[in-house]
Amino acid sequence: MAAFIPDSNNRNSITLRNDDGSSITVYEQGAHLSSWKSTDGVEHLYLSPKAIFEDRKALRGGVPIIFPQFGGYGPMLPVHGFARIRPWKIEDSENGRATFSLHAGLAELFPEGCSLSDSPQNAVKLLYTIHFSNMELKLTMKVTNTSEEREAPFQFAFHTYFAVEKLHRTVVNGVNRSPYVDNNESKGDPKAKVHQPEPLWIIREEHDRVYPGQHCAILLQDLEAKRAIQVSTPNLPDVCIWNPGPEKCAALKDMPSDGYQHFVCVEHGNMLKQVVVPPNSSWTGTQVITILPGSPADAKM
């Protein structure tokens, strides 16, 4: 049976390898996927070299799991919820696949007006399955509400940091015709203004927007290296594209000042509206990342 073991940072993690030569590394805290490498040694996820490896501190980079609250869209602290800072269990693993689990109380999804005595403490089960190979990374979260009486409301996202060599030569394609909510402007207001579409090709400054109800397939293309990654979903309606830009990046303790130049976050999820899982029911969300042959994009620089 696979097990977490201490790494060089004295944090419990596990590295799994596929027969095709690809590999992933996952941390016990948060079931945090920190690395996905293909057999050529290329790392497709960005992990900050200044990431903080401490209890109840989410790693900066990789794929933090956002649950049960997205950002400031609710009263919960810490923002983005508790799933990314709690220890998970390994359920099973085999060639190219691993599954992790976390239990939580229904009351934890109701930060106001619900006591732990209102429902079983382990009424909500998260089952996280990672499929990986040289060409594809598939992330699937299943949330099951075992309560007999109460609904389970939550927000969710795969907060995926994609490694790029240079931000200024990375084309983001897929949301040019999509309305958006500006997270800096909305301040967590679920009724925030929805802006009309604006072209987005190259991120040149801070960018923090949710494109709601799009089921977008996002394409990240490196203009020089001729590499491309497609990020898609069959069932998560919202996509957030985020990069802190130079000023905000410089203020982050767990990020080098030039870190913003080396990643783009593409997060699929249910962010602006809650998922509501009825009693004795389940919900599933999936994000699929596919490595494609790249080609220069027809975009104005």
Side-chain angles (χ1 to χ4, degrees):
M1 177 66 181
F4 293 113
I5 59 173
D7 66 1
S8 60
N9 295 294
N10 200 31
R11 307 299 299 177
N12 286 340
S13 68
I14 185 170
T15 296
L16 299 168
R17 304 186 188 281
N18 194 332
D19 287 347
D20 67 5
S22 60
S23 67
I24 61 171
T25 297
V26 181
Y27 279 84
E28 180 181 31
Q29 181 168 274
H32 196 125
L33 177 62
S34 66
S35 173
W36 169 40
K37 291 181 180 180
S38 43
T39 192
D40 55 8
V42 172
E43 175 61 72
H44 300 291
L45 301 178
Y46 174 83
L47 182 67
S48 170
K50 295 182 69 175
I52 299 172
F53 292 85
E54 295 179 1
D55 288 347
R56 302 190 67 81
K57 290 281 189 181
L59 292 179
R60 174 71 66 182
V63 188
I65 295 170
I66 307 305
F67 177 94
Q69 177 179 296
F70 176 73
Y73 290 86
M76 187 174 293
L77 291 175
V79 298
H80 286 332
F82 53 75
R84 64 182 185 154
I85 59 173
R86 288 192 183 172
W88 291 57
K89 288 178 56 180
I90 301 174
E91 289 289 333
D92 59 66
S93 66
E94 59 183 35
N95 186 46
R97 182 186 65 80
T99 301
F100 306 86
S101 66
L102 175 71
H103 288 81
L106 257 179
E108 297 181 83
L109 311 187
F110 295 86
E112 298 176 344
C114 181
S115 69
L116 285 174
S117 61
D118 290 333
S119 61
Q121 293 190 24
N122 289 327
V124 179
K125 181 178 181 180
L126 281 68
L127 201 63
Y128 180 29
T129 301
I130 302 172
H131 290 88
F132 66 100
S133 67
N134 267 314
M135 302 302 295
E136 185 176 274
L137 179 68
K138 182 179 179 182
L139 311 175
T140 300
M141 184 66 69
K142 181 179 181 181
V143 180
T144 300
N145 177 13
T146 64
S147 169
E148 299 286 340
E149 299 178 352
R150 297 203 66 162
E151 298 174 332
F154 59 87
Q155 293 158 306
F156 174 83
F158 291 112
H159 188 2
T160 312
Y161 289 68
F162 290 96
V164 302
E165 291 189 27
K166 296 290 184 180
L167 185 65
H168 70 264
R169 77 182 198 201
T170 301
V171 169
V172 182
N173 198 347
V175 294
N176 289 295
R177 299 181 180 180
S178 301
Y180 67 89
V181 171
D182 189 320
N183 284 329
N184 290 319
E185 176 187 281
S186 69
K187 306 299 182 182
D189 181 0
K191 297 180 180 179
K193 177 183 178 181
V194 178
H195 295 267
Q196 293 305 303
E198 291 182 3
L200 172 64
W201 294 110
I202 304 289
I203 296 175
R204 302 188 185 277
E205 56 188 5
E206 181 184 359
H207 190 93
D208 190 1
R209 296 176 179 178
V210 175
Y211 300 84
Q214 299 300 310
H215 292 278
C216 296
I218 310 301
L219 190 66
L220 300 179
Q221 287 182 292
D222 187 313
L223 293 173
E224 292 185 22
K226 297 185 178 180
R227 300 177 67 91
I229 290 181
Q230 178 178 280
V231 193
S232 61
T233 177
N235 49 20
L236 294 171
D238 305 331
V239 63
C240 178
I241 296 180
W242 178 69
N243 183 282
E247 293 184 9
K248 186 167 285 186
C249 184
L252 295 172
K253 295 180 179 180
D254 56 356
M255 184 79 76
S257 60
D258 67 343
Y260 72 97
Q261 298 187 45
H262 302 296
F263 75 89
V264 175
C265 275
V266 180
E267 315 167 39
H268 282 102
N270 285 74
M271 303 170 199
L272 300 182
K273 295 182 180 179
Q274 287 185 324
V275 176
V276 179
V277 181
N280 293 317
S281 300
S282 296
W283 166 92
T284 300
T286 299
Q287 185 179 55
V288 182
I289 297 104
T290 306
I291 308 298
L292 303 175
S295 59
D298 182 14
K300 294 182 179 180
M301 302 300 291

